[in-house]
């Protein structure tokens, strides 16, 4: 009977995973459109590693990738390099790692759910993850190892739970390894992984007393890995990612706000006592933290132009009350139980939920879906827990209970259908233009016609980092890049000015015509503003026939916010 | 009898404190009349003198009555004296309620009406009917309407944003500064903690009736939101939702002050006091500076100064509609006439030597060949940017 039940569970889980795989793979090449800038950079660096073992800047098997100057995390790029080697460089191979990570979160959540509350919670949690809006979106983008890091965090939590349950050191070792991998996958891992590992110490301190010697040893290993990561960052002397995106810093909104309020109070003693970094930081962080548990973040669709953030919320409307109920239940049970392993299991899960929003809390623009993606899996699990306990407390024999259950199920299906419609049909039309639309158009032209151009000029008014797209879509050999590249390094950012026959300028001015090779065909990609000054020069120099002028005055990309023109000339 | 006496004394104390806040401590903040208040004063056919804000005292009896009724309501449902008084005190000072009472507006009648209905009847159907009647009676003043399907759908994101904890406790109305205490939400920051405590406490069977009242108010609050205009301030749209949140918060405060260990009690009190001082300072010292654009400080100070200067008449353009509104409202308090002219007549009218002066906005100065630094007499927002420029006849430079 038990074997029969186990088989049924496996079948159900397999079906759930099949759904998860389908939703993450269907039209992966086109949805979201791409590549966008970070994806192109990740892709080309993965291509570079696969071909030569070096990144685009020539560093051999680096532990951190300079890329544009944003220093990308290594693990995702190495995983992608394997797929690039197998399938070639393209959107599919580029995104596959996150797809696999997103799918693997499903069984991990099942196992966590089964461990803390039984198979039913595990299966329902797995189902919620399979059709989760965050799960689907973040599995399909490849700008960084966001989903990969989330997988390792969830897996680490699972290993910690097994360690508490079985007291076997190997599980703590595996937890440490997965947390280290999380740190090398995406920045959120660097904040969360150490805290989650500290949870084991906290649990021991609170009374669990689970193999303390082993935990200390593992901590040393972890600290060593962490130092390695930090050391790599210091070696490149980069200003920390936290300075770039964090809420701290002299030019940040927080500091400007303090100055404003103090100025209004004429900088008197009262102003200094009330309006200072401590008070404003506490308020900002409290506000940012709480926002991850509240309705605007959890339920509302967001309208923004950020390609690496989901426009859909993490939860469906019908789930919200069960999510809150699940949180209260977990907390209540963990505090009511004084002893026993179950208590510590719940403490670890609560700790994971509690620390997950921290990376987003300390950055500008909170709440951020990608920076709080460690919540993915845990949110769905807590919701499943709340749902199962809710219906367990009602009498299933009553018709009203069955009616409520049916209503919830139907509402859930409607919510899911609504999201899937939005994501697969509405989203591309509504937000397709934020995914490097002009750059993709340039790529399409280059793929067809690059051979006929002696020079291709692309303006940085189109794109701050235009060089990466020709590299990606033409799969420029690394030797060519390394031998012909000219670049500048300003304020921690790389500005590539030339490689091969490509030239990248801050802005296209009429004088560019003098720099083009004489007697050979060149392509110049410009924005609408640049066209106003360039076109008269081209006409004046008789570089365009009337027919060419008419044709090339039509934009390649006709989005009012992103007009793109191409002029093909032969000086 | 003893309990009734204590309740009466406690309530009297809260009412005195409330009166002190409104009549003494914060009587001149906001420091000008808003366009919305002008519209409501016209409805009430009240025309105060320039710089006279005493009309706001009209809100005091309404507010006081509401405090009395809500205290009695909580006492009746919970049988707890201290909880009732804490509720009354919280209703006095909680930011959403406080700011609502600090300016004259018809929405102050709504919580009073709702609480009255709740006091009169305990049956949900009758309560719903009673509240429906209150809403119906106030519908024109509050710009309410039956919800349409399309607006209801588009109101769901507004609802989620309104009850979002960041909005409730830290950000407030992020769309309009009009009634927003800078850097504060609709509730105190610390209420985020006491709300959780209160929600937890309400699960106790002793508070069953109060819990039912709170749940009822949540349903009413949500329905009310869907009847409000999409252009209405978030503060107004959420007014009936804030009420049950306040009740829950009061339960949380009560729990902290009665059931926790002494050291936690002291910590809770200190936390509340710091919270209160911080938000009070934000209101007293920063509200007028941050929100002056939405109120009438520049307009009333312009009228004042023009009176003192003995100006006989003033020309304005279509751009100065807000000045026209204030000038018309205070027509009895100004010694000059106001006339509208078109942009094309500005140059020949403003620079010609006659009795009248031109009052222009910054973007119109170029039409009379002047820069803002050239203009001597300027009327600004409260400690803020210049808004109106009075063109002099002999082109005096600074």
């Amino acid at each position: 009977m038990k074997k029969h039940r186990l088989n049924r569970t496996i079948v159900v889980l397999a079906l759930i995973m099949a759904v998860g795989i389908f939703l993450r793979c269907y039209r992966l090449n086109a949805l979201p459109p791409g590549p966008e800038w970070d994806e192109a950079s990740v892709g080309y660096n993965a291509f570079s590693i696969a071909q030569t073992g070096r990144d685009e800047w020539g560093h051999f098997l680096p532990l951190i990738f300079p890329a544009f100057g944003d220093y990308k995390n290594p693990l995702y790029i190495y995983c992608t390099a394997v797929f690039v080697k197998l399938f070639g460089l393209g959107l599919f191979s580029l995104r596959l790692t996150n797809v696999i990570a997103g799918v693997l979160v499903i069984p991990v959540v099942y196992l966590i759910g089964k461990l803390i509350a039984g198979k039913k919670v595990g299966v329902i949690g797995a189902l919620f993850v399979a059709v989760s809006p965050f799960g689907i979106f973040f599995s399909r983008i490849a700008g960084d190892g966001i989903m990969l890091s989330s997988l390792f965090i969830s897996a680490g939590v699972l290993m910690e739970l097994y360690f508490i349950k079985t007291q076997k050191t190997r599980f703590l070792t595996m937890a440490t390894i997965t947390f280290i991998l999380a740190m090398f996958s995406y920045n959120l891992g660097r904040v969360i992984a150490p805290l989650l590992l500290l949870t084991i110490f906290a649990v021991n301190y609170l009374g669990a007393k689970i193999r303390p010697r082993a935990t200390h040893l593992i901590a040393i290993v972890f600290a060593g890995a962490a130092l390695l990561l930090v050391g790599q960052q210091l070696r490149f002397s980069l200003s920390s990612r936290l300075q770039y995106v964090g809420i701290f810093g002299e030019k940040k909104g927080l500091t400007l706000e303090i100055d404003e309020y103090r100025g209004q109070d004429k900088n008197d003693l009262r102003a200094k006592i009330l309006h200072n970094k401590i008070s404003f930081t506490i308020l900002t962080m409290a506000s940012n933290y709480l926002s991850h548990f509240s309705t605007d973040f959890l339920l509302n669709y967001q309208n923004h132009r950020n390609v690496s953030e989901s426009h859909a919320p993490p939860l469906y409307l019908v789930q919200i009350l069960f999510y809150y109920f699940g949180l209260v239940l977990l907390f209540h049970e963990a505090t009511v139980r004084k002893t026993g392993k179950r208590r510590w299991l719940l403490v670890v899960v609560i700790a994971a939920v509690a620390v997950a929003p921290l990376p987003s809390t300390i950055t500008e623009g909170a709440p951020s879906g990608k920076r709080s993606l460690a919540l993915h899996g845990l949110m769905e699990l807590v919701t499943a827990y709340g749902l199962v306990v809710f219906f367990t407390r009602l009498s299933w024999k009553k018709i009203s209970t069955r009616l409520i259950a049916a209503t919830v199920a139907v509402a859930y299906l409607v919510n899911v259908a609504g999201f899937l419609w939005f994501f697969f049909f509405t989203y591309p039309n509504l937000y397709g233009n934020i995914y490097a639309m002009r750059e993709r158009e340039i790529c399409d032209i280059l793929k067809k016609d690059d051979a006929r151009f002696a020079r291709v000029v692309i303006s940085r008014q189109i794109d701050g980092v235009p060089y990466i797209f020709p590299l990606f879509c033409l799969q420029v050999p690394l030797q060519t890049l390394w031998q012909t590249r000219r670049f500048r390094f300003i304020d921690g950012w790389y500005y590539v000015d030339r490689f091969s026959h490509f030239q990248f300028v801050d802005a296209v001015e009429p004088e560019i015509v003098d720099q083009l090779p004489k007697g050979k065909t060149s392509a110049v990609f410009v924005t609408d503003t640049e066209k106003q000054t360039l076109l008269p020069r081209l006409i004046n120099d008789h570089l365009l026939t009337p027919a060419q002028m008419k044709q090339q005055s039509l934009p390649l990309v006709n989005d009012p916010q992103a007009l793109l023109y191409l002029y093909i000339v032969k000086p | 009898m003893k309990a009734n006496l204590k309740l009466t004394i406690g309530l009297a104390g809260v009412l005195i404190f409330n009166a002190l806040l409104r009549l003494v401590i914060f009587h001149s903040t906001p420091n000008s009349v808003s366009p919305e208040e002008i519209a409501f004063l016209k409805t009430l056919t009240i025309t105060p003198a320039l710089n006279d804000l005493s009309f706001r005292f009209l809100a005091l009896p309404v507010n006081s009555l509401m405090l009395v009724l809500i205290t009695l309501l909580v006492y009746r449902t919970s049988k707890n004296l201290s909880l009732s008084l804490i509720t009354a005190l919280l209703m006095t000072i909680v930011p959403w309620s406080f700011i609502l009472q600090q300016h004259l507006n018809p929405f102050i009648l709504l919580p009073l009406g709702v609480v009255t209905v709740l006091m009169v009847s305990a049956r949900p159907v009758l309560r719903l009917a009673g509240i429906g009647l209150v809403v119906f009676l106030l519908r024109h003043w509050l710009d309410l309407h039956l919800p349409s399907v399309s607006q209801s759908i588009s109101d769901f994101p507004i609802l989620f944003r309104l009850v979002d904890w960041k909005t409730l406790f830290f950000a407030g109305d992020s769309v309009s500064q009009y009634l927003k205490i800078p850097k504060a939400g609709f509730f105190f920051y610390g209420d985020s903690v006491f709300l959780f405590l209160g929600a937890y406490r309400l699960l106790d069977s002793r508070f069953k009736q109060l819990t039912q009242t709170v749940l009822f108010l949540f349903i009413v609050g949500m329905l009310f939101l869907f009847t409000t205009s999409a252009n209405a301030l978030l503060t107004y749209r959420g007014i009936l939702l804030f009420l049950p949140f306040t009740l829950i918060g009061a339960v949380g405060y009560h729990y902290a002050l009665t059931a926790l260990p002494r050291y936690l009690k002291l910590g809770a009190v200190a936390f509340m006091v710091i919270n209160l001082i911080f938000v009070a300072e934000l209101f007293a010292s920063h509200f007028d500076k941050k929100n002056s654009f939405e109120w009438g400080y520049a307009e009333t100070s312009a009228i004042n100064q023009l009176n003192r200067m003995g100006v006989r008449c003033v020309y304005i353009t279509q751009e100065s509609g807000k000045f026209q509104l204030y000038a018309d409202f205070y027509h009895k308090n100004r010694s000059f006439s106001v006339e509208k002219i078109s942009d094309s007549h500005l140059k020949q009218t403003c620079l010609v030597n006659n009795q009248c002066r031109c009052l222009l906005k910054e973007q119109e100065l170029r039409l009379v060949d002047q820069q803002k630094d050239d203009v001597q007499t300027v009327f600004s927002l409260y400690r803020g940017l210049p808004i109106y420029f009075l063109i002099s006849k002999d082109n005096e430079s600074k």
Side-chain angles (χ1 to χ4, degrees), chain A residues 142-364:
Chain A
D144 214 325
I146 306 169
M147 184 52 79
L148 189 62
S149 192
S150 176
L151 167 68
F152 287 131
I153 298 283
S154 305
V157 169
L158 177 64
M159 292 301 123
E160 281 192 334
L161 295 175
Y162 277 132
F163 174 61
I164 290 171
K165 186 170 181 191
T166 63
Q167 301 216 10
K168 290 191 171 133
T169 318
R170 66 171 182 265
F171 288 116
L172 185 61
T173 310
M174 282 155 66
T176 309
I177 291 169
T178 49
F179 285 142
I180 290 171
L181 291 173
M183 288 174 70
F184 283 92
S185 298
Y186 186 55
N187 301 320
L188 71 86
R190 298 180 204 176
V191 177
I192 301 217
L195 292 172
L196 285 180
L197 206 56
L198 275 173
T199 307
I200 289 293
F201 289 94
V203 158
N204 268 334
Y205 178 76
L206 288 169
K209 295 202 180 1
I210 307 166
R211 305 292 294 271
R213 211 173 279 178
T215 58
H216 294 149
L217 202 64
I218 298 300
I220 293 168
V221 170
F222 185 86
L227 276 170
L228 190 65
L229 179 66
V230 171
Q232 280 299 308
Q233 284 204 308
L234 290 174
R235 187 164 82 84
F236 281 102
S237 298
L238 60 92
S239 50
S240 131
R241 185 82 183 144
L242 195 59
Q243 281 179 357
Y244 182 62
V245 300
I247 56 175
F248 314 105
E250 290 307 312
K251 291 178 188 170
K252 294 296 173 151
L254 191 65
T255 312
L256 297 173
E257 209 178 20
I258 295 168
D259 291 342
E260 183 196 350
Y261 279 80
R262 280 197 179 178
Q264 286 175 358
D265 282 340
K266 297 187 177 19
N267 252 313
D268 58 15
L269 181 64
R270 177 190 54 171
K272 286 176 184 169
I273 291 171
L274 293 174
H275 309 310
N276 52 61
K277 278 186 182 168
I278 295 173
S279 60
F280 273 51
T281 302
I282 290 171
L283 284 178
T284 302
M285 287 184 65
S287 162
N288 286 351
Y289 184 80
L290 275 182
S291 64
H292 294 88
F293 296 99
S294 41
T295 45
D296 191 31
F297 172 68
L298 294 174
L299 296 177
N300 266 340
Y301 281 71
Q302 308 293 340
N303 186 18
H304 56 73
R305 296 182 68 80
N306 192 331
V307 298
S308 57
E309 287 280 11
S310 172
H311 289 78
L315 288 181
Y316 296 109
L317 178 57
V318 74
Q319 291 177 305
I320 188 76
L321 289 176
F322 296 115
Y323 176 55
Y324 287 143
F325 185 50
L327 282 174
V328 168
L329 279 175
L330 278 179
F331 190 75
H332 179 74
E333 226 187 304
T335 46
V336 158
R337 284 175 185 270
K338 297 296 175 201
T339 55
K341 280 184 189 166
R342 181 165 164 72
R343 185 191 188 202
W344 304 120
L345 293 177
L346 296 177
V347 165
V348 167
V349 172
I350 291 168
V353 172
V355 304
L358 287 180
S360 172
T361 297
I362 57 174
T363 52
E364 288 188 318

Side-chain angles (χ1 to χ4, degrees), chain B residues 24-87:
Chain B
V24 178
I25 301 171
F26 295 113
H27 70 283
S28 60
T29 308
N31 63 5
S32 61
V33 180
S34 71
E36 194 185 67
E37 283 181 310
I38 287 177
F40 193 48
L41 286 167
K42 280 181 184 172
T43 312
L44 300 175
T45 61
I46 296 171
T47 318
L50 201 60
N51 301 326
D52 178 14
L53 301 175
S54 59
F55 62 86
R56 288 181 181 153
F57 299 160
L58 287 171
L60 186 62
V62 174
N63 184 219
S64 301
L65 185 58
M66 204 267 299
L67 288 175
V68 168
L69 288 174
I70 204 162
T71 308
L72 294 175
L73 176 70
V74 173
Y75 186 63
R76 197 171 74 179
T77 50
S78 67
K79 304 282 182 275
N80 193 308
L81 175 67
S82 50
L83 174 60
S84 323
L85 292 175
I86 288 172
T87 306

Side-chain angles (χ1 to χ4, degrees), chain B residues 292-354:
Chain B
S292 188
F293 185 75
E294 306 261 8
W295 294 72
Y297 179 83
E299 286 74 19
T300 47
S301 62
I303 293 171
N304 255 327
Q305 192 151 342
L306 288 168
N307 282 341
R308 278 201 292 271
M309 287 167 68
V311 170
R312 302 282 276 285
C313 61
V314 166
Y315 289 122
I316 60 172
T317 66
Q318 203 69 30
E319 292 291 322
S320 299
K322 196 174 170 193
F323 181 83
Q324 177 89 63
L325 174 72
Y326 281 79
D328 290 345
F329 183 67
Y330 288 115
H331 64 279
K332 288 182 185 170
N333 302 106
R334 57 177 164 90
S335 56
F336 54 90
S337 63
V338 177
E339 282 176 45
K340 253 194 193 147
I341 57 172
S342 64
D343 288 0
S344 54
H345 290 110
L346 275 176
K347 205 163 181 178
Q348 62 244 44
T349 311
C350 295
L351 301 177
V352 164
N353 198 9
N354 59 37

Side-chain angles (χ1 to χ4, degrees), chain A residues 330-405:
Chain A
L330 278 179
F331 190 75
H332 179 74
E333 226 187 304
T335 46
V336 158
R337 284 175 185 270
K338 297 296 175 201
T339 55
K341 280 184 189 166
R342 181 165 164 72
R343 185 191 188 202
W344 304 120
L345 293 177
L346 296 177
V347 165
V348 167
V349 172
I350 291 168
V353 172
V355 304
L358 287 180
S360 172
T361 297
I362 57 174
T363 52
E364 288 188 318
S368 162
K370 65 179 178 185
R371 296 193 182 108
S372 62
L373 202 67
L375 275 172
H376 173 58
L378 294 171
M379 256 192 304
E380 289 81 359
L381 189 66
V382 171
T383 308
Y385 185 52
L387 180 81
V388 168
V389 171
F390 176 79
F391 282 105
T392 306
R393 289 186 181 182
L394 300 177
S395 167
W396 196 248
K397 288 179 188 167
K398 283 188 187 169
I399 293 176
S400 56
T401 306
R402 295 184 193 200
L403 206 60
I404 294 171

Side-chain angles (χ1 to χ4, degrees), chain A residues 29 33-48 56 68 76 80 84 88-95 142-143 436 439-440 442-444 446-447 458 465-478 481 499 502 504:
Chain A
N29 270 343
E36 42 89 358
W37 306 264
D38 285 321
E39 284 183 323
S41 175
V42 165
Y44 191 74
N45 276 282
F47 171 75
S48 181
E56 68 173 283
F68 305 131
Y76 189 84
T80 304
V84 167
L89 179 61
L91 270 179
F92 182 79
S93 55
L94 183 53
R95 292 174 172 175
E439 294 79 347
R440 286 186 280 119
I442 293 173
C443 265
D444 288 343
L446 291 176
K447 278 183 201 168
I458 306 176
V465 282
Y467 79 94
I468 199 65
F469 288 92
L471 284 179
F472 179 91
C473 53
L474 297 176
Q475 297 179 33
V476 172
L478 277 306
L481 174 66
F499 73 84
F502 290 93
F504 308 99

